[in-house]
Structure formats: structure tokens, C-alpha cells
Amino acid sequence: MGGRDATMVLLDENGIRCDGRKVDEPRKIMIKAGGLKNADGSSYIEFGDNKILVGVFGPRDVHPKHMSNTDTGILRVRYHMEPFSVGERKRPAPSRREIEISKVIKEALEPAVMLEKFPRTAVDVFIEVLQADGGTRCAALTAASVALADAGIPMRDMVAAIASGKVADTIILDVNNEEDQAGQADMPVGYMPSLKKITLLQLDGVLTPEEYKKCVDVGVKGCELVYELQKQALHDKYFGNRKD
Ligand code: CDP
């Protein structure tokens, strides 16, 4: 954030962004429910050039036992980036960033999952980022919701996520890697559209109160688009003509 590459044109005179999109246009999104036979539920998402696989296991016994809760189930999330997922090889050991994003995604999913139905057990969500291009936490959160639903975990709603942001003094939808690096603000938003509840809201950058409001609105509208694709992915697996 903060204009690392001042020469990059993030928005041209026709209002077109560095990857050819309009200001309110998300990247191409493809979501597939299922795919991993050893997982209880799984999903795969391509969100622009982000490629992410999610496996869900549980509800299952908690080890060590003292980590369990007699009143409710627990959700455990591991967000992991493959060393080859970014241009400059990422060290294989869990980074502070991965630990933080795991926590952020877990907290964004918790309001959606009916953990109280599974006391003493754990639901594990494993997120593997195969290719990263800005906005992996939103893509991962979106895919994780689909994988949880695919696992048959009772949920109040799915969380859909996308980032809004600001480049060249303009509010945009779905911030890519260049826009994240050289733009003015990045706001990941996670939202449960049926319940109309935000479960993730972060902001990197500086916005006026008006811009802040607009960014939230643009992010929420984007989540509503993503939600349709999540539902379609589940529909395709369970009611469509897929062979696998
Ligand atoms: O991915 P997200 O936008 O949720 O999180 P970020 O910490 O703002 O990272 C933005 C982007 O930086 C990632 O999506 C990757 O494309 C890139 N990145 C990288 O190139 N090398 C890393 N070690 C970590 C992130």
C-alpha cells in the first residue's frame, strides 16, 4: 500500500483499470464444490489469478482433549500458502501473515457455523493457496464457506467475501495484486447476504468517512454477486449433471 510504484497507471482516462476491468467489475470467479475424496467437504476457487483449494474435516474428536469445549464445537482454520504460490518463493514455515489470516478467516466464519450443535468436537478447515494474486483471504473465505456447506455442517448462512478499495482517488471493486501494492486503500469485506451481516471488515489505507461508507457498500454488493456463484457451485454438485 502507499504508492510503491508511482509510475503505474491504475486507472486510465477512460476509467479502465490496469487489468482492463471497469471500476465496479470483479475479476473472473470460478467456484467448484467438492473434489477431494478424503475430505468431508471441499472446494476449489479461481478468483482472477488466485487459485485456492479448501478441505474440511469434521465434526471430529479434538486432540489434545483439553482443547475441546463441553458446551460447543470449535472451528480451527489453517491458511497456508505454497512456497510457489507467489513470485518470490515463500519460506515454507508458517509466517506471521499466514497465522493472522488463519485467525481472521476463522473469526469471519464463526458467526455462520452452528458450532453449538457439536459440543466437544472440532471442525477443521485447511486452506491451500496454490497461486496468489491479491485478495487471497477473501477468495479463501468464500471457498471455505462452500467447503463447509459441502461437508454438511449446519450453517446460518454462507459468508461471501471480496475486497473493495481505492485507486487514483476512485472506489473500486475487487482489488488485484498491483492495486493492492500501488493503490490507496484495500478493504476486505466478508458478508452473509441472507442474514445481512458483515463478519469481516479490514482496512489497509486511508479513506474519508464518505469513501469509507462507499467502500463498505461496494464491498457488500460485490459479496452479493459472489454469493450467487457459491450457491451455483453447490447446486451444480448436488443437483447438476456433474459426473464426479
Ligand atoms: O492476499 P490478501 O490480499 O488477502 O493479503 P495481503 O497480505 O494483502 O497480500 C496481498 C498479496 O500479496 C497476496 O495475495 C499475494 O499475491 C502477495 N504476497 C506475496 O507476493 N508474497 C507473500 N509472501 C505474501 C503475499
Side-chain angles (χ1 to χ4, degrees):
M1 198 65 50
R4 243 183 269 171
D5 181 359
T7 57
M8 176 175 269
V9 179
L10 290 176
L11 198 64
D12 72 13
E13 63 277 9
N14 301 315
I16 299 298
R17 292 154 68 177
C18 59
D19 58 6
R21 284 183 290 151
K22 300 192 202 94
V23 287
D24 59 352
E25 188 181 340
R27 288 173 284 187
K28 192 163 171 280
I29 302 168
M30 189 280 289
I31 310 174
K32 183 181 168 190
L36 294 180
K37 93 173 155 70
N38 295 329
D40 295 311
S42 55
S43 71
Y44 172 69
I45 190 166
E46 290 186 2
F47 205 114
D49 283 337
N50 293 299
K51 297 186 182 196
I52 302 172
L53 193 58
V54 180
V56 166
F57 298 80
R60 61 183 179 180
D61 287 347
V62 182
H63 298 291
K65 272 232 153 20
H66 69 85
M67 299 282 286
S68 68
N69 186 332
T70 47
D71 298 328
T72 183
I74 56 172
L75 188 66
R76 297 187 293 203
V77 175
R78 189 190 73 159
Y79 164 101
H80 175 249
M81 263 184 152
E82 297 299 338
F84 56 78
S85 64
V86 286
E88 195 172 314
R89 182 179 179 275
K90 190 209 141 272
R91 293 164 74 99
S95 61
R96 286 181 58 162
R97 176 179 170 277
E98 285 168 296
I99 295 166
E100 185 209 317
I101 294 182
S102 299
K103 181 173 185 288
V104 161
I105 294 177
K106 169 180 135 72
E107 289 174 359
L109 286 170
E110 270 168 346
V113 183
M114 295 179 173
L115 289 167
E116 67 280 7
K117 292 197 183 284
F118 306 102
R120 285 184 289 276
T121 68
V123 174
D124 289 301
V125 179
F126 293 97
I127 296 165
E128 292 295 331
V129 179
L130 310 177
Q131 189 170 287
D133 190 43
T136 58
R137 78 194 61 204
C138 291
L141 176 53
T142 297
S145 293
V146 173
L148 283 162
D150 182 49
I153 307 289
M155 294 165 83
R156 297 180 177 83
D157 198 358
M158 282 193 288
V159 183
I162 196 161
S164 50
K166 180 180 162 189
V167 299
D169 297 322
T170 307
I171 304 301
I172 56 161
L173 177 65
D174 191 15
V175 179
N176 69 24
N177 197 32
E178 286 76 35
E179 292 168 336
D180 183 28
Q181 302 296 319
Q184 294 162 304
D186 175 31
M187 179 189 274
V189 180
Y191 181 66
M192 296 193 286
S194 294
L195 296 178
K196 300 196 187 312
K197 282 206 168 109
I198 289 175
T199 70
L200 165 71
L201 190 67
Q202 294 186 289
L203 173 61
D204 184 8
V206 179
L207 297 172
T208 65
E210 292 72 34
E211 287 171 340
Y212 176 88
K213 231 180 139 284
K214 180 151 188 218
C215 248
V216 174
D217 287 348
V218 166
V220 163
K221 285 210 179 70
C223 290
E224 284 166 350
L225 297 175
V226 172
Y227 191 56
E228 293 308 312
L229 302 174
Q230 290 175 302
K231 288 190 292 185
Q232 189 62 50
L234 290 164
H235 189 276
D236 286 350
K237 177 173 176 189
Y238 290 98
F239 305 108
N241 296 319
R242 255 175 59 188
K243 298 275 183 307
D244 56 321

Short mmCIF file of all heavy atoms in Angstrom, two decimals, residues 81 86 97 132-137 177 180-181, ligand 1:
data_model
loop_
_atom_site.label_atom_id
_atom_site.label_comp_id
_atom_site.label_asym_id
_atom_site.label_seq_id
_atom_site.Cartn_x
_atom_site.Cartn_y
_atom_site.Cartn_z
N MET A 81 0.08 -20.92 2.44
CA MET A 81 0.50 -20.57 1.08
C MET A 81 1.60 -21.51 0.63
O MET A 81 2.60 -21.68 1.35
CB MET A 81 1.09 -19.16 1.09
CG MET A 81 0.16 -18.11 0.69
SD MET A 81 1.10 -16.58 0.67
CE MET A 81 0.16 -15.73 -0.55
N VAL A 86 3.66 -17.53 -4.93
CA VAL A 86 3.95 -16.11 -5.18
C VAL A 86 5.24 -15.99 -5.99
O VAL A 86 6.00 -16.96 -6.08
CB VAL A 86 4.11 -15.33 -3.84
CG1 VAL A 86 2.75 -15.12 -3.20
CG2 VAL A 86 5.03 -16.04 -2.88
N ARG A 97 2.00 -13.56 8.80
CA ARG A 97 0.86 -13.21 7.94
C ARG A 97 -0.12 -14.39 7.82
O ARG A 97 -1.32 -14.22 7.93
CB ARG A 97 1.38 -12.79 6.57
CG ARG A 97 0.30 -12.50 5.55
CD ARG A 97 0.88 -12.07 4.21
NE ARG A 97 -0.17 -12.04 3.21
CZ ARG A 97 -0.58 -13.10 2.55
NH1 ARG A 97 -0.02 -14.28 2.77
NH2 ARG A 97 -1.56 -13.00 1.67
N ALA A 132 -1.27 -17.01 -5.74
CA ALA A 132 -1.81 -15.81 -5.09
C ALA A 132 -1.67 -14.60 -5.99
O ALA A 132 -0.65 -14.44 -6.66
CB ALA A 132 -1.06 -15.56 -3.78
N ASP A 133 -2.71 -13.76 -6.00
CA ASP A 133 -2.64 -12.55 -6.81
C ASP A 133 -3.46 -11.42 -6.20
O ASP A 133 -4.22 -10.75 -6.89
CB ASP A 133 -3.10 -12.84 -8.24
CG ASP A 133 -2.80 -11.67 -9.17
OD1 ASP A 133 -1.70 -11.11 -9.07
OD2 ASP A 133 -3.68 -11.29 -9.96
N GLY A 134 -3.35 -11.26 -4.88
CA GLY A 134 -4.10 -10.19 -4.21
C GLY A 134 -5.51 -10.64 -3.88
O GLY A 134 -6.24 -11.11 -4.75
N GLY A 135 -5.90 -10.51 -2.61
CA GLY A 135 -7.26 -10.88 -2.20
C GLY A 135 -7.42 -12.34 -1.85
O GLY A 135 -8.53 -12.88 -1.92
N THR A 136 -6.34 -12.98 -1.42
CA THR A 136 -6.46 -14.41 -1.12
C THR A 136 -7.35 -14.66 0.10
O THR A 136 -8.02 -15.68 0.16
CB THR A 136 -5.09 -15.08 -0.87
OG1 THR A 136 -4.45 -14.40 0.20
CG2 THR A 136 -4.24 -15.04 -2.11
N ARG A 137 -7.36 -13.75 1.07
CA ARG A 137 -8.19 -14.01 2.27
C ARG A 137 -9.67 -14.03 1.90
O ARG A 137 -10.43 -14.84 2.42
CB ARG A 137 -7.88 -13.02 3.40
CG ARG A 137 -8.50 -11.65 3.27
CD ARG A 137 -7.88 -10.66 4.21
NE ARG A 137 -6.45 -10.51 3.93
CZ ARG A 137 -5.55 -10.10 4.80
NH1 ARG A 137 -5.90 -9.78 6.02
NH2 ARG A 137 -4.29 -9.98 4.46
N ASN A 177 -3.54 -7.66 -7.18
CA ASN A 177 -2.25 -7.52 -6.50
C ASN A 177 -1.58 -6.16 -6.77
O ASN A 177 -1.10 -5.51 -5.84
CB ASN A 177 -1.33 -8.68 -6.92
CG ASN A 177 -0.17 -8.84 -5.98
OD1 ASN A 177 -0.29 -8.57 -4.79
ND2 ASN A 177 0.95 -9.28 -6.51
N ASP A 180 -3.38 -3.51 -4.93
CA ASP A 180 -3.10 -3.63 -3.50
C ASP A 180 -1.74 -2.99 -3.19
O ASP A 180 -1.59 -2.25 -2.21
CB ASP A 180 -3.10 -5.12 -3.12
CG ASP A 180 -2.88 -5.35 -1.64
OD1 ASP A 180 -3.23 -4.45 -0.85
OD2 ASP A 180 -2.35 -6.41 -1.27
N GLN A 181 -0.75 -3.26 -4.05
CA GLN A 181 0.61 -2.75 -3.81
C GLN A 181 0.70 -1.24 -4.02
O GLN A 181 1.31 -0.54 -3.24
CB GLN A 181 1.61 -3.42 -4.75
CG GLN A 181 1.67 -4.94 -4.66
CD GLN A 181 2.14 -5.43 -3.29
OE1 GLN A 181 3.05 -4.86 -2.72
NE2 GLN A 181 1.49 -6.45 -2.78
O1 CDP B 1 -3.95 -11.97 -0.22
P1 CDP B 1 -4.53 -10.85 0.59
O2 CDP B 1 -4.82 -9.61 -0.23
O3 CDP B 1 -5.73 -11.30 1.41
O4 CDP B 1 -3.44 -10.48 1.69
P2 CDP B 1 -2.22 -9.43 1.61
O5 CDP B 1 -1.36 -9.72 2.82
O6 CDP B 1 -2.75 -8.04 1.42
O7 CDP B 1 -1.39 -9.88 0.34
C1 CDP B 1 -1.63 -9.32 -0.91
C2 CDP B 1 -0.92 -10.14 -1.96
O8 CDP B 1 0.49 -10.04 -1.80
C3 CDP B 1 -1.18 -11.64 -1.92
O9 CDP B 1 -2.44 -12.02 -2.43
C4 CDP B 1 -0.03 -12.14 -2.77
O10 CDP B 1 -0.35 -12.02 -4.16
C5 CDP B 1 1.10 -11.16 -2.42
N1 CDP B 1 2.07 -11.80 -1.49
C6 CDP B 1 3.31 -12.09 -1.98
O11 CDP B 1 3.60 -11.81 -3.14
N2 CDP B 1 4.23 -12.72 -1.16
C7 CDP B 1 3.91 -13.06 0.11
N3 CDP B 1 4.82 -13.67 0.90
C8 CDP B 1 2.65 -12.74 0.61
C9 CDP B 1 1.74 -12.10 -0.22
#
